[in-house]
Amino acid sequence: MAAPMVLAEAVHKRYGHLEVLKGISLEVDARQVMCLLGPSGSGKSTFLRCINHLEQINSGRLWVDGTLVGYAERGGRLHELPEREVCRRRTEIGMVFQRFNLFPHLTVLENVVMAPVVVKGEARGVVTERARRLLDRVGLSAKVAAYPNQLSGGQQQRVAIARALAMEPKLMLFDEPTSALDPELVGEVLDVMRALAEDGMTMVVVTHEIGFAREVGDTLVFMDAGVVVEAGPPRDVIANPQHERTRTFLSKVL
C-alpha cells in the first residue's frame, strides 16, 4: 500500500515551558482533504507549520510522502538535515497563509513566476506559460499585469494560491486562508480550493469555514489545547460530535 501523504506520530512541540502540541498523531492519504478545526491557541497552525518544517518538532515523527520532514534518522535518533536539503524538500509542499505575502513591487505574473525560476532554476519561458495557465485557473487571467495593491483581498489570496501551485507541489497547506478577507470575498477563494480538491490535490486546511469542511473535507479534526479531541468524517463530526468540547465549540460557530 502507498504511504500516506502526511503521517504524524506523537508529534510534540514546545516553546520553552509552553507545550503547544502534545502528541499529535494523524494521517492524510493522497488526494484527500483534511480540515483542522479548533479555537485559537489549540495548535492547528503550529502543526501545519511543522509539516513543512517551518517549525521544528521536539519529539515524534512527521513524514510527507514517506520521507521524514526536516530530519534523517540514524540509529534511532533524528538528525536535522542541512538547510539546503530542507529547502529543497519544502519546494514539494505549497503553503498559503492568512496574509497574502505578495511582493508589492512585482506584478501578479511576476509574483507567480519568481519562485520556480529562482528556487528551482526552471526556465522563465516555461514557468511563465505555467503561471498564465494557473492565473486563468484561479480566474485572474485579466490581472497578470496588475500590482497587488490594485487587487481585492480575495484576488490577492487567489494569486497566492497560484504562486504556491506554480511550484507543482504534491501537498498544499492552507492556514486560515479566508480569515483576513471581507465576508463577500470568502466564496471566491473557497471556490478555488474546492476545484483543487476536485482535481485530486492533497490538502490540509486550517479553517473555521464549517460549510467548506462539511462539503469538501474527507476528514475533520477538532483540536484543543494541543491535542486531537475528535476526528472523523466531517458530516458526522459536525452533526453528531462525540465530545463535549467539540459540541461547545460547534455551538458557537454554527
Side-chain angles (χ1 to χ4, degrees):
M1 293 180 63
M5 182 60 72
V6 179
L7 177 61
E9 290 185 354
V11 170
H12 289 255
K13 173 64 184 176
R14 295 185 301 275
Y15 298 101
H17 295 295
L18 177 63
E19 192 171 23
V20 180
L21 300 178
K22 304 173 183 176
I24 300 296
S25 295
L26 294 170
E27 64 179 74
V28 186
D29 289 332
R31 303 179 67 85
Q32 286 194 332
V33 177
M34 174 180 283
C35 294
L36 301 179
L37 200 64
S40 297
S42 59
K44 310 180 303 296
S45 294
T46 299
F47 177 66
L48 206 70
R49 292 170 65 86
C50 288
I51 293 175
N52 66 356
H53 206 61
L54 289 176
E55 299 284 356
Q56 299 175 8
I57 65 175
N58 295 109
S59 62
R61 300 287 190 275
L62 248 175
W63 292 266
V64 170
D65 201 19
T67 301
L68 277 171
V69 174
Y71 299 92
E73 187 168 4
R74 295 190 294 272
R77 296 174 62 91
L78 293 182
H79 300 268
E80 189 161 10
L81 294 171
E83 183 63 21
R84 176 176 294 183
E85 179 64 15
V86 171
C87 291
R88 186 190 69 78
R89 295 187 182 185
R90 195 178 285 142
T91 63
E92 300 178 335
I93 305 172
M95 187 158 184
V96 178
F97 300 87
Q98 296 179 36
R99 297 292 175 178
F100 325 120
N101 299 325
L102 300 178
F103 294 108
H105 63 290
L106 298 180
T107 66
V108 164
L109 184 63
E110 290 165 343
N111 263 282
V112 178
V113 166
M114 173 175 276
V117 172
V118 173
V119 177
K120 295 177 71 175
E122 294 189 65
R124 181 172 292 273
V126 173
V127 177
T128 298
E129 286 304 308
R130 184 193 311 151
R132 289 183 180 277
R133 291 195 302 272
L134 288 169
L135 288 167
D136 182 60
R137 185 177 180 183
V138 300
L140 291 173
S141 57
K143 298 291 186 179
V144 293
Y147 287 87
N149 65 2
Q150 298 173 311
L151 304 179
S152 70
Q155 289 172 329
Q156 290 187 61
Q157 192 62 295
R158 284 186 280 153
V159 174
I161 293 172
R163 179 180 59 183
L165 292 172
M167 295 292 283
E168 299 186 311
K170 61 179 67 173
L171 169 68
M172 285 286 287
L173 310 175
F174 292 86
D175 189 6
E176 298 193 39
T178 61
S179 64
L181 301 179
D182 292 333
E184 64 269 22
L185 302 178
V186 168
E188 62 190 51
V189 174
L190 294 181
D191 286 344
V192 171
M193 295 170 63
R194 190 175 288 108
L196 285 177
E198 291 172 354
D199 288 345
M201 174 61 73
T202 311
M203 299 159 60
V204 183
V205 184
V206 174
T207 185
H208 290 301
E209 300 292 338
I210 304 297
F212 175 85
R214 182 192 292 115
E215 296 166 19
V216 179
D218 295 290
T219 305
L220 189 150
V221 174
F222 177 70
M223 293 178 60
D224 189 31
V227 301
V228 173
V229 176
E230 188 165 353
R235 292 179 184 273
D236 294 347
V237 174
I238 293 167
N240 188 30
Q242 299 300 299
H243 294 265
E244 180 59 33
R245 184 66 187 93
T246 316
R247 287 193 289 272
T248 300
F249 178 82
L250 289 172
S251 71
K252 294 177 179 178
V253 299
L254 286 174

